[in-house]
Amino acid sequence: MSYPSLHITFLGTGTSTGVPMIGCNCNVCTSADTRDNRLRTSILIETAHTNIVIDTTPDFRQQMLRINNHKLDAVLFTHPHKDHTGGLDDVRAYNFFSGKAMDVYANSLTEEALKREFAYVFADKRYPGIPELNLITIDETPFNINDVPVIPIMVWHYKMPVYAYRFGNFTYITDANRIDEAQKEKIRGSEIMVVNALRKEDHISHFTLQQAIDLVEELEVKEAYFTHISHQLGRHEEIEHILPAHIHMAYDGLQLTV
């Protein structure tokens, strides 16, 4: 199978509170390094024909404005938590200019949450100007979004199943703290992997820094980037300095070509 060249933009790399966190005066939240300013976690995947956003965070509008994005073909959700779905209403701007509904891919758990939290979008009596969505239910079966083949990978966010995704040689994992062996096989062979690394201390539902490093080494991924980062992890420059040479801290605005 041939895969298109992918251009990846990190729209946000912060945990659910973002960085800086409201009311916090720690050395990360007060850092002058722009890499320590993190909106909620999301990426934009672009090919020559297709633009896909993974998750619409509460910062979605700001994220798309600051990269001056004018085209979006689809939204792909990982799970139903609000820091990953809260900006969905703002896809209506794309409806206005494209004249068509936005394709939204989600598993049944996330779909249920979207219908509950954005009930007005799915109501029988529709108010003018609300988002136009084409909701597409997915499971672990691979599928295509236009020219982009997508392989769903089920990971665990404590007891919640979350979808990671593989696109050719690129794998994106967020909000996980455990991956079953069968699902790890879907990741092996990836040249680049993005994975969440919340902080150094143990957490009930996220990989710690060391756990994320161990996962990269176990799967023998050539290059990795950490995301969904808390202010508790430390300043970008400090953590980047202690990571293995093939592992990096992601930051808002970082771009990769795969």
Side-chain angles (χ1 to χ4, degrees), residues 78-79 107 109 140 151-166 171-187 193-196 205-207 215 219:
T78 59
H79 67 296
N107 66 3
L109 181 68
E140 289 185 46
I151 299 175
I153 302 165
M154 203 276 283
V155 300
W156 291 104
H157 187 32
Y158 186 43
K159 296 182 179 180
M160 173 181 282
V162 168
Y163 276 7
Y165 297 101
R166 180 166 178 172
T171 296
Y172 181 79
I173 307 168
T174 185
D175 288 62
N177 71 322
R178 180 168 58 88
I179 305 175
D180 294 337
E181 290 302 319
Q183 301 296 322
K184 286 180 180 179
E185 291 306 311
K186 297 180 183 180
I187 303 170
M193 179 173 74
V194 177
V195 63
N196 63 296
S205 60
H206 285 279
F207 287 127
L215 180 67
L219 297 177

Side-chain angles (χ1 to χ4, degrees), residues 5-257:
S5 176
L6 305 178
H7 184 74
I8 312 295
T9 302
F10 288 81
L11 302 175
T13 55
T15 189
S16 58
T17 60
V19 185
M21 180 179 176
I22 293 173
C24 183
N25 292 314
C26 75
N27 69 332
V28 177
C29 289
T30 57
S31 170
D33 188 341
T34 57
R35 296 172 300 178
D36 289 319
N37 291 335
R38 303 181 184 276
L39 299 180
R40 268 63 73 92
T41 293
S42 175
I43 61 170
L44 173 67
I45 298 175
E46 299 173 274
T47 73
H49 305 288
T50 305
N51 288 5
I52 304 166
V53 157
I54 300 186
D55 294 333
T56 56
T57 81
D59 304 311
F60 174 71
R61 174 181 173 274
Q62 180 182 355
Q63 289 167 338
M64 302 309 269
L65 283 172
R66 73 178 180 178
I67 64 167
N68 195 30
N69 178 270
H70 293 274
K71 179 179 183 287
L72 186 63
D73 298 291
V75 175
L76 181 57
F77 280 113
T78 59
H79 67 296
H81 282 166
K82 201 72 168 184
D83 56 318
H84 293 261
T85 65
L88 181 61
D89 183 86
D90 282 313
V91 302
R92 59 197 168 102
Y94 294 101
N95 298 149
F96 298 156
F97 292 109
S98 71
K100 60 183 181 180
M102 179 65 65
D103 287 342
V104 175
Y105 295 80
N107 66 3
S108 56
L109 181 68
T110 304
E111 185 178 280
E112 181 181 313
L114 296 177
K115 289 180 176 179
R116 181 178 62 251
E117 295 174 13
F118 297 92
Y120 61 93
V121 175
F122 303 97
D124 292 334
K125 293 183 178 180
R126 298 171 56 79
Y127 191 85
I130 64 175
E132 297 284 344
L133 306 179
N134 178 29
L135 198 55
I136 301 165
T137 307
I138 61 174
D139 52 25
E140 289 185 46
T141 306
F143 60 96
N144 281 43
I145 302 177
N146 297 340
D147 59 329
V148 183
V150 183
I151 299 175
I153 302 165
M154 203 276 283
V155 300
W156 291 104
H157 187 32
Y158 186 43
K159 296 182 179 180
M160 173 181 282
V162 168
Y163 276 7
Y165 297 101
R166 180 166 178 172
F167 310 87
N169 291 320
F170 175 75
T171 296
Y172 181 79
I173 307 168
T174 185
D175 288 62
N177 71 322
R178 180 168 58 88
I179 305 175
D180 294 337
E181 290 302 319
Q183 301 296 322
K184 286 180 180 179
E185 291 306 311
K186 297 180 183 180
I187 303 170
R188 292 187 192 276
S190 299
E191 292 184 2
I192 299 178
M193 179 173 74
V194 177
V195 63
N196 63 296
L198 187 74
R199 63 188 192 190
K200 295 176 181 177
E201 298 79 19
D202 286 344
H203 191 273
I204 194 171
S205 60
H206 285 279
F207 287 127
T208 65
L209 180 65
Q210 189 58 55
Q211 288 168 345
I213 293 171
D214 292 344
L215 180 67
V216 173
E217 302 293 10
E218 176 190 351
L219 297 177
E220 300 179 334
V221 176
K222 293 181 180 178
E223 190 173 8
Y225 293 84
F226 291 161
T227 191
H228 211 290
I229 293 160
S230 164
H231 68 142
Q232 296 170 315
L233 181 57
R235 293 180 60 181
H236 179 102
E237 184 177 17
E238 296 169 353
I239 304 303
E240 179 77 17
H241 182 69
I242 65 173
L243 291 175
H246 63 299
I247 301 177
H248 310 280
M249 292 277 282
Y251 55 88
D252 292 19
L254 173 65
Q255 298 184 339
L256 307 174
T257 298

